[in-house]
């Protein structure tokens, strides 16, 4: 989830990416699952920063 959240915060800043630079498209995704302790403070701090539509789209693309 953390990498998916990180993806949600990224945008292309390369020359020529001024239009339609967010969210970055996921291609050739390999999923690995690692158990993590639940950190409510992290979640509470990240929720306001997330673009929910982009997060859902990225999760859908990643799950195939």
């Amino acid at each position: 989830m953390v990498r998916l959240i990180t993806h949600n915060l990224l945008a292309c800043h390369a020359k020529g990416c001024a239009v339609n630079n967010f969210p970055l498209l996921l291609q050739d995704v390999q999923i690995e699952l690692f158990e993590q302790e639940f950190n409510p403070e992290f979640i509470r701090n990240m929720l306001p920063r997330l673009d929910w539509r982009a997060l859902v789209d990225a999760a859908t693309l990643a799950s195939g």
Side-chain angles (χ1 to χ4, degrees):
M1 184 65 163
V2 171
R3 290 189 182 175
L4 196 54
I5 289 173
T6 301
H7 167 265
N8 190 266
L9 302 174
L10 298 176
C12 178
H13 295 290
K15 187 176 181 179
C17 280
V19 177
N20 210 12
N21 66 346
F22 177 84
L24 297 179
L25 296 178
L26 297 175
Q27 295 178 337
D28 300 323
V29 175
Q30 184 178 21
I31 296 176
E32 295 182 39
L33 299 176
F34 299 98
E35 291 212 20
Q36 299 289 319
E37 276 189 44
F38 178 66
N39 184 342
E41 186 175 337
F42 173 77
I43 300 297
R44 190 173 20 257
N45 289 332
M46 289 305 296
L47 284 176
R49 300 175 63 190
L50 295 178
D51 179 317
W52 283 105
R53 182 77 255 151
L55 182 66
V56 169
D57 289 347
T60 302
L61 283 171
S63 67

